[in-house]
Amino acid sequence: MDILGATLRVCVDDLETAVPFYERLAGGTALRFERGGVEVAAVGCFLLMSGPAAELDLLRKVAATIAVKDVEEAHEVLRELGARIIAGPVATPVGRNLIAMHPDGAVYEYVDRRG
């Protein structure tokens, strides 16, 4: 499985206030979108999320987002290594994702940019 990088997930109360700070910190412009009632801004290695408390409580349980070359391959490797697949793989607007709990209890989202 090829791991291409990781994104740190940050839940914020006010996305409009947080985005300028992270844009300056990361030296880039945020890519914004909405998913499931949660406003999201991706900037550099940060994924900022703001929305209803119940949604954010669920999102906070995922430690990080890990970019991989192929989610299907990640799915196979994770299962072989004893991870529990919580959700997915499913299609997203930019590729596919899955959520897995590692044997140590840590929860991660794995994503690719394939159709």
Side-chain angles (χ1 to χ4, degrees):
M1 168 176 61
D2 293 331
I3 295 178
L4 307 175
T7 302
L8 305 171
R9 300 163 64 95
V10 183
C11 294
V12 298
D13 292 330
D14 183 357
L15 197 65
E16 297 308 314
T17 300
V19 165
F21 171 83
Y22 283 93
E23 285 179 330
R24 293 278 313 269
L25 182 64
T29 302
L31 170 64
R32 296 174 183 239
F33 57 95
E34 184 178 332
R35 183 140 190 224
V38 174
E39 293 181 63
V40 181
V43 57
C45 66
F46 299 100
L47 188 64
L48 310 175
M49 300 174 287
S50 183
E55 293 294 325
L56 293 181
D57 287 345
L58 288 173
L59 294 170
R60 282 186 178 99
K61 294 178 181 182
V62 178
T65 298
I66 300 171
V68 295
K69 186 174 181 181
D70 185 340
V71 161
E72 293 298 333
E73 180 185 5
H75 183 243
E76 290 175 28
V77 170
L78 288 163
R79 283 187 26 210
E80 288 172 10
L81 294 174
R84 183 167 63 94
I85 306 303
I86 296 171
V90 297
T92 71
V94 295
R96 297 171 298 174
N97 79 337
L98 68 81
I99 298 175
M101 179 183 290
H102 292 186
D104 62 8
V107 177
Y108 295 94
E109 176 186 35
Y110 289 80
V111 299
D112 68 21
R113 293 198 175 255
R114 300 180 68 166

